[in-house]
Amino acid sequence: MKLLRLLILFIVFQVSAQQGGMWIPSMLEGKNEKEMQSLGMKMTASDIYNINNSSLKDAVVHFNGGCTSELISSRALLLTNHHCGYGAIQSHSSVAHDYLKDGFWAMTDAEELPNPGMVATLIVRIDDITNRAFEGTSDNMTEKQRLDKIAQNLDKAQKEVVKESWQEVFVKSIYHGNQYLLYVTEVFKDIRLVGAPPSSIGKFGSDTDNWMWPRHTGDFSLFRIYASKDNKPATYSKDNVPYIPKHFLPVSLDGVAENDFTLVFGFPGRTNEYLPSIAVDQLANKLNPARIEVRDVALKIVDSYMRKDQQIKIQYASKYASIANYWKKWIGESQGINKSDAVKIKKKLETDFDKLVAAKGLQNKYGTLLSDFDSMYKEIEAVSLANDYWSEVVNRNVELLSATVMMYQLEQVYEKKGTQAFEEAREKLNKRLEGFYKNYNATVDKAVFEKLIEIYANNIPRTYLSKSLSNVDFKKLTDEIYKKSKLTSYEGVSELLSGSPSDFVKKINKDKGYQLGKELTADFYNNINPKFVKMSEEIATVQKVYMKALLELFPEERIFPDANSTLRVTYGKVSGYQPKDAVYYKPVSYLDGIIEKYVPNDYEFDVPLKLRELYETKDFGQYAENGKIPVAFIGTNHTTGGNSGSPAIDAHGNLIGLNFDRVWEGTMSDLYYDPAISRNIMVDIRYVLFIVDKYAGATRLIDEMKLVHPKKK
Ligand code: ARG
Ligand code: GLU
């Protein structure tokens, strides 16, 4: 007994040393509330989430599915990142009005620009329906029977939910299938662009500074939610009016100091904090390096062409940015995993876990979990690698091959679903390809192909190597395909796509590029993908039990649910960090740093004249602190992709910043949060106000906000 207690004590310590966490807003009472208050928060859990009265959650909005945004005025002014509004800003831009380059500011409501298809989702309520979900399931069911029963239960729960006619509903599981939450939402569909700074502010530092601190990016843009006259969600109409929110965030002019409490409220996408050590090791040291190698080569080639040719630069800028974003993240992640000793720490925890299971006599239930993980991850490694190589090389970085994947899918539609389905799919694909080829350059793609196809052939695990790629002269193969294939231009593709379905099939199968792409893709769908999916499902079943065991064996622990694109609260403090020996990074950056980084006419570090003038004349209005304009700050909030645009909130519930990134050394926080070096990066809200007011002169927007001085009461 004594041994058991000792063990528990020790293991508890190991788990809580991790900190971090993305918590469910409706479940903050108790432990989280106490912890937040001990960090300096002056609010209660019900100030954050309340279904009877307005609360902070009524101001936090899921922005178009992928990002977060927040309401900052009684007229539904909506703040998010520049990189979240990028697509919308781009879609309104032309050579004559280049809003990406020059920025955009609506000086009246009438100038605000509608964005068909864009949605903004508010969370009305979160219900825990776990008991309902498991109703009628039992331990002697097979996993499939159990999952089917749960699916039925969830379906029923959604149909029977109490909600208003204009509201929507969905269910998500947390803790890997051990708990189920139902969300009632309101989805607004008339979202208009209100303002955006030029990219030289909103994307300042671009890829060089991406995932890095010190940072100086003014990564924000402004939108507005419009509703019907009775304040309900409605599709665009010129008669719609600004939505009147239940709550909007007051904006603090008092800024932050080291150790100030911060809360970040948003929609983090995906984390994997409870993977076994073997999986983390595999990801950091096998899968990430493979993906990084592919992108490394592709990015270098594309970059060399972008630097030589303005047209290519425009065509590839957005693709390059998105490929570079995760390339850089994976490098940071793998380094962080190894530097923080995450694998060793997890191994230790697993040894203790097994001991505790034995000490409690739970071997029958939980005794084989870790050895199951071990054998399963060993088994899945080759097919995971194959999956990644195919996804990166065929489906993404070689554009001609990614076009063959689309063609393959179209051919499959015809084969499996017949003519009518084919006609519909063909029309859609045609539109998609038109956009695709606008940004396509065959010379660039050929250079990428030649290098990547060699990496693919040499590195994909041998069992998954397609026939045509063994013993091949890569140079010859490349020349032949890019000389003969019609997939190198939209005209060529249109020709392939035209005619009757059987014409299409005949023509396409004669194309050299398609022949190779089809073989690789068919091998993927027939050999790689089914095995990968099956093994992943088996692993998920073990992960579910492992998660259950952790929750059961450590009931007192702060075990947070992995992110799943639902609304979460994370909290911490404004805090610098030590990235390496003898170096300490302070937590706040200033406009002075922008001037330091300024490189005239550089595509990453140019600074607009107006901003330089404001700096020179110190025309800072009410936004300076000791004569300096703060730009960004970092904190210990645990965030991930999807938290972009999330509000950073002070101890009283005021807006102090806008989340947009993490520091490079700490990006492994999706797998292992290390409080010493994991930091999120936020734009200081005073920089946003300064740009809106002094740079853009959009004072009407400042006037509709509620500016407060919480520290100067
Ligand atoms: N790293 C941030 C995020 O993951 C910002 C990305 C913006 N894109 C860029 N290439 N700078 O979304
Ligand atoms: N930039 C990321 C996003 O778009 C947020 C940074 C992160 O992954 O933490 O969501």
Side-chain angles (χ1 to χ4, degrees), residues 118-120 122 186-191 225-227 232-233 243:
M118 181 180 271
V119 295
L122 275 152
E186 289 184 357
V187 182
F188 288 85
K189 299 181 181 76
D190 186 353
I191 317 300
I225 299 181
Y226 280 76
K232 303 271 158 18
Y243 169 62

Side-chain angles (χ1 to χ4, degrees), residues 90-252:
Q90 182 177 39
S91 75
H92 295 294
S93 296
S94 62
V95 180
H97 307 277
D98 192 344
Y99 300 141
L100 279 178
K101 184 164 163 289
D102 304 321
F104 168 79
W105 304 97
M107 293 303 180
T108 61
D109 282 4
E111 285 171 26
E112 298 177 359
L113 299 171
N115 300 287
M118 181 180 271
V119 295
T121 305
L122 275 152
I123 305 299
V124 176
R125 188 175 92 229
I126 306 171
D127 296 341
D128 189 340
I129 58 160
T130 308
N131 291 338
R132 272 198 85 167
F134 290 127
E135 234 163 55
T137 62
S138 72
D139 282 349
N140 35 26
M141 285 177 151
T142 65
E143 184 64 9
K144 169 141 186 5
Q145 288 170 329
R146 200 175 11 242
L147 291 176
D148 286 350
K149 181 71 196 157
I150 292 171
Q152 265 175 30
N153 291 343
L154 297 180
D155 208 44
K156 195 150 169 268
Q158 291 179 79
K159 284 196 183 114
E160 292 171 358
V161 70
V162 181
K163 65 166 188 65
E164 305 293 345
S165 59
W166 64 86
Q167 296 175 334
E168 302 185 15
V169 61
F170 64 85
V171 174
K172 284 258 177 112
S173 110
I174 53 170
Y175 292 117
H176 297 268
N178 286 288
Q179 202 171 342
Y180 285 89
L181 302 180
L182 178 148
Y183 295 79
V184 176
T185 66
E186 289 184 357
V187 182
F188 288 85
K189 299 181 181 76
D190 186 353
I191 317 300
R192 302 188 195 169
L193 177 63
V194 173
S199 292
S200 52
I201 290 174
K203 212 187 160 185
F204 182 74
S206 193
D207 290 309
T208 300
D209 270 9
N210 193 18
W211 299 109
M212 299 283 221
W213 184 255
R215 189 67 159 277
H216 298 86
T217 313
D219 198 343
F220 79 94
S221 59
L222 288 159
F223 289 79
R224 192 186 303 283
I225 299 181
Y226 280 76
S228 63
K229 289 217 166 72
D230 52 358
N231 212 32
K232 303 271 158 18
T235 48
Y236 172 79
S237 155
K238 65 176 183 8
D239 299 327
N240 285 347
V241 291
Y243 169 62
I244 302 168
K246 281 211 273 191
H247 184 69
F248 65 89
L249 299 175
V251 179
S252 167

